[in-house]
Amino acid sequence: RILGSVEPHLEFLLLDDRRVQISAVENGKIIPMGEQTVQVTGGDRSSPTQMSFTREGNVLVSDVAFPEGNNLPVIVQVQANPNVRAVLEKFNLNLDSCPTCKNKEYACICGH
């Protein structure tokens, strides 16, 4: 899923071990992360999981795995640098498979 409310745009990707990877993208290619910081909150609203991120090469990877479930609310907080206000993106992390494009629904590109 591309988070388009920040520059450069960020890609939210759920890895096989359910940790989250955040990558900066430009023209469809991953570029090095700048000084952005990211926090993700998601899962059960009564007991949400909060994730912090560490740099691994050119990407950020969460410190904990996303909780179990296939359709979970997510809040991504991105701060471009320490001197600006954070930007929030909210969406549902729908992990059902798209029948058309074979991606997970949260990353669907076919626009069905």
Side-chain angles (χ1 to χ4, degrees):
R1 179 178 190 102
I2 300 297
L3 307 177
S5 62
V6 294
E7 288 292 333
H9 296 322
L10 300 178
E11 177 187 47
F12 178 100
L13 177 66
L14 192 67
L15 301 172
D16 290 338
D17 63 1
R18 295 185 71 93
R19 291 185 305 150
V20 175
Q21 176 179 296
I22 303 288
S23 308
V25 292
E26 188 174 276
N27 298 323
K29 297 188 188 253
I30 293 177
I31 61 172
M33 294 290 294
E35 41 181 336
Q36 301 98 327
T37 58
V38 177
Q39 292 181 337
V40 172
T41 304
D44 184 7
R45 291 178 194 253
S46 64
S47 180
T49 299
Q50 295 193 350
M51 300 174 189
S52 297
F53 289 79
T54 56
R55 292 185 189 273
E56 291 186 10
N58 288 333
V59 300
L60 300 175
V61 178
S62 66
D63 59 342
V64 296
F66 218 86
E68 292 300 317
N70 273 1
N71 197 6
L72 305 165
V74 177
I75 300 171
V76 179
Q77 182 177 330
V78 180
Q79 191 166 11
N81 66 58
N83 300 321
V84 298
R85 188 177 177 148
V87 174
L88 294 178
E89 285 240 1
K90 298 178 183 182
F91 59 92
N92 279 334
L93 182 65
N94 185 343
L95 298 175
D96 293 329
S97 294
C98 174
T100 308
C101 69
K102 299 180 185 171
N103 289 332
K104 299 293 184 188
E105 285 288 346
Y106 84 94
C108 178
I109 57 172
C110 67
H112 63 86

